[in-house]
Amino acid sequence: MEPRYGNLIGGREDFDGEAHLLKSPADGREVATVTFATGGKVNEAVDSAYDALRQWKRSTLAERQALLSRLSERIQSRSESYAFLESANTGKTLRQSTLMDIPLGIENIRYFATTKEFQLEREIEHPEYPGTRGIVQYAPMGVVASIAPWNVPFLMAVWKLAPALLAGNTVVLKPSHYTPLTALELGRDAAAAGFPPGVVNVVTGTGGVVGNALIRHPKVNLVSFTGSTKTGRELLAGSAGIKKFTLELGGKSPNIVFADADLETAARGVLFGIYLNSGQLCESGSRLILQASIREKFLSRLGELMETMRPGNPLDMETDVSAITTERQREKIETMVDAGVTAGAKVRYRKEVSGVAPPGGLYYPPTLLTDVRDDMEIAREEIFGPVLSVMQFENEPEAVELANRTDYGLAAGVWTTDLEKAKRVASQIDAGTVWVNEYHMLSAAAPRGGFKNSGIGRELGLEGLLECTQTRHIFMNPEHSDMSDVAYGLILPGAE
Ligand code: NAD
């Protein structure tokens, strides 16, 4: 029988709620049953996070880091089962889970378990008031409600938990109801690693019930949301109370290839940029912006390389093509591409998967489109699937202009052997991450997030940690003199 998961509330696993069966998008097999939380269970989770905060915010950085370190070791010892579960639940290739998502997530926890970048306070001087001292403290925000999407569930759970916990917050994490399994495993391992009850809570269910109850809860101080721009907008419009929001939203990221690039590396990088996870990554390089002089040569090479991609069951280590995680998403990709083709876009290459991928799974063939015009929806909106649109440019300013011609601003790639040019171009792109001769490389030391409609705030890095804090300024006057008197010649009431 498939395993059963409850909600993790106040250090207990709670099976009270509607059972929901999850089937694998890789092959349709039953994977696990989860328990959808009710609004009442969400309240219990927030209350337990709120109660746990009193002690947890007094813990030292060293104590928090020791627990994060123990958590990373526990996950490391079970990394193969995490990888299998992640792939079975999402349909992403086992190779990606085994070699990228799970080890990177473990590394990212280790980063927060060992970083010395973040300190709880720093000293300042006040140039206006010589002789005084200031202390700026980075206090936790309080209870953090973390809401995550379905595409990289383990990494997302790590990014939502590790920095928030290190900064002294307690967390209620809501993974996507499609892919909650590795987040639930992570929550179980957090309890086993010794995090006190209530510090880490994981509740599953839909956005309409669980997400909505979280963003409206008066004891939630920070909503850390990752998901679509559409939902991000709705959240801001519908939130109640005074609370902080960080939003990590969608993208339509450009990959710019100059004629002087190492073309073989660039071709492989462009395919990796769009077809990893079947294009279901927020930063997927979905727009290829190609210098006109190399257009035909480069496209032919892309076509040849696409032919070598191996479809099959994503749960086999040899398979290159991930499934599409939900039926709704598969239909959305199909509808958008069909509309684009009707409007004049041309399918230049398509790697067929049917007949090779498991019949019970959800798939869309990796596709490359040319003749994409700006007025088409596929040029402007996030498809979130294995679909690459090609555009071309003549010179550097035109490349920058095309790259920025979008309402999104999450990520970009620049491929050239001229590193001066690379930095010049990268510095003009309105995006939170720009890779040069690389794609998809994520470091926990680096802040990530979006410009424009791709979001507000940052995740990871020192900047991401600071998002989980609020500052307290302590103004100290060591002389015990009356500074108001010295500064302004005022006598305070009661002063001699
Ligand atoms: P989504 O916006 O539909 O859902 C995201 C999360 O929000 C889910 O947990 C969902 O249950 C919840 N939710 C939905 N409606 C809600 C509501 N009214 N109130 C509270 N919570 C609600 O996104 P998705 O389809 O799960 O994920 C795909 C999207 O996520 C893409 O747009 C992708 O670009 C984006 N994404 C962004 C990043 C990033 O770091 N910027 C990373 C991964 C994915």
Side-chain angles (χ1 to χ4, degrees), residues 148-150 174 207 211 225-228 231 248-250 282 382 384 448:
W150 45 258
K174 186 199 104 54
F225 172 81
T226 304
S228 63
T231 310
E248 303 284 335
L249 307 176
C282 50
E382 184 181 45
F384 219 55
R448 63 188 299 275

Side-chain angles (χ1 to χ4, degrees), residues 124-134 475-479 483:
I124 58 167
E125 287 180 4
H126 308 118
E128 306 88 338
Y129 311 111
T132 65
R133 261 182 339 116
F475 188 111
M476 311 233 323
N477 183 355
E479 310 294 322
M483 287 308 300

Side-chain angles (χ1 to χ4, degrees), residues 231-388:
T231 310
R233 274 204 188 94
E234 286 168 13
L235 252 60
L236 284 187
S239 100
I242 309 293
K243 45 183 63 114
K244 176 175 170 180
F245 276 79
T246 59
L247 303 174
E248 303 284 335
L249 307 176
K252 191 76 185 169
S253 300
N255 229 331
I256 307 174
V257 181
F258 285 96
D260 64 5
D262 172 338
L263 295 186
E264 184 60 20
T265 311
R268 289 172 187 273
V270 165
L271 296 185
F272 179 64
I274 182 63
Y275 297 129
L276 180 73
N277 216 49
S278 275
Q280 300 162 106
L281 294 170
C282 50
E283 79 259 4
S284 290
S286 53
R287 294 184 298 139
L288 170 58
I289 299 188
L290 190 54
Q291 193 144 26
S293 59
I294 53 164
R295 182 189 149 99
E296 278 315 304
K297 184 175 164 196
F298 196 78
L299 288 183
S300 304
R301 185 61 188 142
L302 289 183
E304 284 167 12
L305 288 171
M306 281 175 75
E307 263 319 299
T308 67
M309 288 171 74
R310 291 162 302 189
N313 190 330
L315 299 176
D316 294 337
M317 261 322 237
E318 305 306 312
T319 300
D320 295 321
V321 181
S322 293
I324 305 301
T325 301
T326 71
E327 178 60 40
R328 195 166 147 203
Q329 184 58 25
R330 208 199 62 74
E331 278 169 12
K332 179 185 163 201
I333 299 168
E334 195 167 71
T335 307
M336 284 182 79
V337 173
D338 289 353
V341 169
T342 305
K346 301 232 163 18
V347 176
R348 168 94 176 229
Y349 300 114
R350 180 165 266 174
K351 176 66 187 179
E352 266 318 321
V353 295
S354 56
V356 197
L362 302 170
Y363 293 91
Y364 192 86
T367 298
L368 189 149
L369 299 174
T370 56
D371 298 50
V372 176
R373 293 189 318 273
D374 274 353
D375 60 330
M376 296 177 183
E377 190 192 23
I378 49 168
R380 294 192 318 274
E381 288 306 324
E382 184 181 45
I383 300 176
F384 219 55
V387 183
L388 180 64

Side-chain angles (χ1 to χ4, degrees), residues 95 108 178 192 217 240 246-247 289 296 313 350 371 402 410 433 455-456 463 480:
R95 213 170 58 239
N108 289 175
Y178 296 114
H217 201 293
T246 59
L247 303 174
I289 299 188
E296 278 315 304
N313 190 330
R350 180 165 266 174
D371 298 50
L402 266 177
L410 195 60
T433 302
I456 306 171
E463 292 78 359
H480 301 286

